[in-house]
Structure formats: C-alpha cells, structure tokens
Amino acid sequence: MFYDVPYRHQQAVDPAALSTIAITLQAMTKALDDCRNAGVDPNTDPAMVLLARHMATVSTNRAPRSVLRHACDKRLQSLKRYPALLALSIRGVEYDQAAKERFHEDATAAMQDLASALALAEGSYTIASTRGDPS
C-alpha cells in the first residue's frame, strides 16, 4: 500500500488543481485514508480541515441555504412521482449490481401496486422477479 503523508498537506496548502466538487471529494477521500493509515484524527488534521473548507469554494452554486433546501425538497417530490424504476428502465442496469437490485425491488413493488389497483384477490397471482447473474 502506498503512503504519502506529505501529499495531503501539499494539496491542502495549494488546492489549485482541485477545481471541482468531484475532484475535491476524491482528494478528501484519499486524505481520509491517509489519516487512517497515519493514525491521525481527520477531524483535527489541519490538511483535512483545509480541504473541507476548500470544498465550499469549488461549488459554483452560491444560492442561499434556503433556496438549496427548497430545490432538494422539489427533487424529492419529483422522485416520488417518477421512481427510480423508470430511470433504470430507460438507462438500463447492465453490469451495475446496485442498480439491478433497485430495479428488481421497485419492479416487484410496482407489480404489487398493480395487483392492488386491479383488485386481484390475495393468493390469486404470483409476482416473480428473475434476477439473472451479476452481469
């Protein structure tokens, strides 16, 4: 395993290369692993604190907290109306085990809802989900 303790400090002092949330998050994840390997508490490590503060600067969305919370609430409502089953059906779930599991769970629930909507008597139908192999 590769240990580079100074690297997280160098990135924290000069985070110019950390220009997006995704890249900064990746750096923070590696820094967390490095803290664990070095036996350092990441909550008090100065490099981790600087990287966490940098995360706020790379976000291009400067909307107030209330606006962001409202947008999250709207997205949650939208997700309730348009479940993951629809998105997974459109994009497919090839080679994505977590997506396959979610697809089968949601599809089974949707079939149960359909049976209820059709007023089918309990025990007069069977819902089966053929999961196939991991690929």
Side-chain angles (χ1 to χ4, degrees):
M1 183 173 271
F2 181 69
Y3 297 113
D4 190 359
V5 176
Y7 189 68
R8 79 170 180 273
H9 298 285
Q10 291 164 347
Q11 275 192 315
V13 170
D14 183 15
L18 308 177
S19 58
T20 66
I21 290 174
I23 293 169
T24 304
L25 183 59
Q26 184 178 26
M28 290 179 70
T29 301
K30 288 181 179 182
L32 279 170
D33 289 342
D34 186 53
C35 283
R36 186 194 71 239
N37 293 336
V40 175
D41 179 9
N43 294 310
T44 59
D45 180 65
M48 280 302 307
V49 173
L50 281 174
L51 288 170
R53 288 182 183 173
H54 179 67
M55 179 63 85
T57 65
V58 295
S59 173
T60 57
N61 189 337
R62 301 284 183 221
R65 182 181 200 90
S66 60
V67 171
L68 293 173
R69 288 180 59 89
H70 179 69
C72 284
D73 287 340
K74 281 181 63 177
R75 181 73 53 92
L76 285 170
Q77 293 303 317
S78 174
L79 290 171
K80 287 178 184 173
R81 284 192 307 271
Y82 304 105
L85 180 60
L86 179 60
L88 292 172
S89 297
I90 293 169
R91 82 164 175 91
V93 294
E94 298 174 336
Y95 307 107
D96 185 343
Q97 188 62 33
K100 282 184 168 199
E101 289 296 321
R102 180 63 188 262
F103 176 84
H104 284 284
E105 289 172 15
D106 286 3
T108 300
M111 295 304 290
Q112 185 65 45
D113 291 345
L114 178 61
S116 295
L118 294 172
L120 298 177
E122 192 70 36
S124 67
Y125 60 91
T126 301
I127 297 175
S129 178
T130 305
R131 297 180 183 259
D133 64 23
S135 64

